[in-house]
Amino acid sequence: MDEPSWYGVRCVFRHRELGVYEERVTLWTAGSLDDAIGRAEAEALEYCAALEEVDYTGFAEAFKMDGVPGEGAEVFSLMRESDLPSSTYVGKFFATGRERIS
């Protein structure tokens, strides 16, 4: 196991009654990417147990952070290859008009 580092882990949930998906990014100190994901997935199951009509989709992805989180720290980053123009890309994947901020 490596020296503990900070990780941001994004997990995706389905709120059946509301008809929405939720993406949550949580922070963890862990010795490896797999350990961070395992801890986040355990918390994801606790999150679902505390709420009604919420399922964990089984999707998690993690990001190893540089250093200790502080103001302005990058907690998650994802790169996706695409030939779409910026406005089309954002509209397709992020600003669809159907978002809810929790």
Side-chain angles (χ1 to χ4, degrees):
M1 188 175 270
D2 296 331
E3 181 81 19
S5 296
W6 282 94
Y7 293 85
V9 182
R10 177 169 72 159
C11 293
V12 179
F13 302 85
R14 173 72 173 153
H15 291 256
R16 293 187 311 273
E17 189 172 309
L18 298 175
V20 299
Y21 285 90
E22 176 186 13
E23 298 179 27
R24 293 176 68 232
V25 177
T26 53
L27 297 178
W28 304 94
T29 54
S32 70
L33 193 73
D34 288 339
D35 184 34
I37 290 173
R39 293 180 65 202
E41 289 186 318
E43 189 276 338
L45 296 176
E46 291 175 13
Y47 178 71
C48 290
L51 300 171
E52 294 182 21
E53 300 290 318
V54 178
D55 299 315
Y56 172 50
T57 65
F59 180 84
E61 55 189 357
F63 171 76
K64 184 176 179 181
M65 300 171 59
D66 291 329
V68 177
E71 190 163 334
E74 182 177 43
V75 298
F76 193 82
S77 178
L78 169 72
M79 292 184 174
R80 180 183 289 130
E81 291 184 23
S82 176
D83 293 328
L84 295 173
S86 295
S87 61
T88 304
Y89 179 88
V90 170
K92 180 177 177 80
F93 294 107
F94 296 100
T96 66
R98 301 179 71 180
E99 296 79 17
R100 296 182 185 187
I101 303 299
S102 60

